[in-house]
């Protein structure tokens, strides 16, 4: 592979001014097995998860069992989205109106959104240049806020030192909820992301590691929390139809106290997802092969910074981030983005004060109290991001990296 890369890079002439012409948002088709299975569900007419005959297991119940086996958690509940998974999980973990919840400042809008939906208050934590929680800032804000909960968002697949995080939170009696929307399949020190906290959330939205359009999972080993989640998701008195099910006694009292929030997954989406679980490990390898091309090619440029990763971290490279030079102005950033776009390379800029597409900065979450985060202007302002859909070949990734490195060099500041 390395040799191929070297010969490829030697053919610089042919690459000069080359443009890229594939979409950055084109997913792979849904596997044939998923399509067959989805058609069977459609033919049956029984799309609702509780519409089963006698002992029959619904597609959703089977999906939950299969995902919990893959993840290595005791229980799993499938939901309508990753965002609703977070809302249910926070509530099941005990978050109530007015409670403070520590979370990342560098994340996507559904995270503060989920906290806000519970009328709880997000306390944002600063980010390091490696795009993870600043643990010193966490300790300061933990003390000043007296928060009893943390929703850690493993944003863009970057895992903070999980051993340190768990230790800090444990010492302070803080309950950890993990947002694994970007780390399904990642590990820290051989423990799978999602198995560190009391309860964890995943997304199966199109741009994540499994694709059902919309959808999400909650996993936990805690019977009480899972019983609450199942009831919150809208199980009526049909919870015994679940396969990933805590003992009946956990439901007895709660079933009259926990509201039904109607956030259930349906059998159609479950049928699309089940065959994808079998492919996820192979897909992770494909993402990492592509990600490696970006880090090895752009890692040669001295002017940009690529977030560093610990050898304890096994990540899923489904997107790639780099920081542009500290002294680039906003105009330099815009010029760089425009130049890349002209050559077909769509880069998202997390530092843009104007929220564009899926990116937004904490300053634009006007529904939460304004917070002072000194690292944001120094770090997040410089963060550039590209998604790596698996429709990109290895060659595509080389072309994109080449275009980026040529355009970085053209910026005069
Ligand atoms: C996508 C995403 C979510 C929520 O997922 P949805 O399924 O879109 O609701 C949560 N956190 C992060 C970091 C995400 O990127």
């Amino acid at each position: 592979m390395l040799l191929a890369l070297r010969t490829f890079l030697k053919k610089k002439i042919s690459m000069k001014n080359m443009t890229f012409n594939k979409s950055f948002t084109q997913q792979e088709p849904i596997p044939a097995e998923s399509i067959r299975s989805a058609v069977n569900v459609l033919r049956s007419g029984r799309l609702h998860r509780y519409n089963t005959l006698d002992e029959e297991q619904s597609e959703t119940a089977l999906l939950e069992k299969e995902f919990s086996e893959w993840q290595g958690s005791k229980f799993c509940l499938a939901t309508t989205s990753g965002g609703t998974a977070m809302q249910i999980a926070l509530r099941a973990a005990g978050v109530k109106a007015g409670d403070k919840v520590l979370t990342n400042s560098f994340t996507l809008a559904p995270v503060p959104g989920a906290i806000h939906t519970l009328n709880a208050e997000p306390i944002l934590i600063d980010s390091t240049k490696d795009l993870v929680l600043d643990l010193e800032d966490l300790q300061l804000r933990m003390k000043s806020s007296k928060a009893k909960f943390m929703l850690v968002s493993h944003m863009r697949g970057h895992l903070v030192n999980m051993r340190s995080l768990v230790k800090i939170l444990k010492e302070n009696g803080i309950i950890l909820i993990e947002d694994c929307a970007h780390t399904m399949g990642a590990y820290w020190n051989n423990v799978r992301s999602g198995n560190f906290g009391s309860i964890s959330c995943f997304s199966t939205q199109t741009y994540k590691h499994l694709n059902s359009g919309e959808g999400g999972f909650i996993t936990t080993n805690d019977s009480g929390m899972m019983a609450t989640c199942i009831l919150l998701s809208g199980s009526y008195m049909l919870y015994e139809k679940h396969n990933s099910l805590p003992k009946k006694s956990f439901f007895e009292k709660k079933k009259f106290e926990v509201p039904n929030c109607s956030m259930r997954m349906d059998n159609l989406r479950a049928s699309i997802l089940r065959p994808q679980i079998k492919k996820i490990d192979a897909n992770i390898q494909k993402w990492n092969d592509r990600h490696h091309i970006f880090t090895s090619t752009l890692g040669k440029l001295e002017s940009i910074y690529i977030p560093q990763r610990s050898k304890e971290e096994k990540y899923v490279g489904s997107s790639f981030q780099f920081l542009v030079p500290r002294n680039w102005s906003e105009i330099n950033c815009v010029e760089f983005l425009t130049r890349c776009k002209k050559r077909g390379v769509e880069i998202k800029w997390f530092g843009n004060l104007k929220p564009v597409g899926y990116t937004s900065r904490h300053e634009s979450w006007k529904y939460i109290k304004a917070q002072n985060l000194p690292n944001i202007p120094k770090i997040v302002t410089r963060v550039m991001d590209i998604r790596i859909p698996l429709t990109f070949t290895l060659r595509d990734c080389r072309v994109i990296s080449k275009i980026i490195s040529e355009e970085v060099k053209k910026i005069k500041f």
Side-chain angles (χ1 to χ4, degrees), residues 81-83 86 107-108 110-111 153 155 179 181-182 203 205 208 214-215:
S81 73
M86 288 190 289
T107 187
L108 293 181
V111 177
S153 179
M155 178 61 174
D179 166 19
H182 303 165
S203 169
Q205 188 237 75
K208 315 295 163 96
E214 301 283 358

Side-chain angles (χ1 to χ4, degrees), residues 162-172:
M162 289 306 290
R163 213 196 284 250
S164 307
L165 178 69
V166 167
K167 186 167 175 277
I168 294 169
L169 298 182
K170 219 175 229 162
E171 282 168 3
N172 290 278

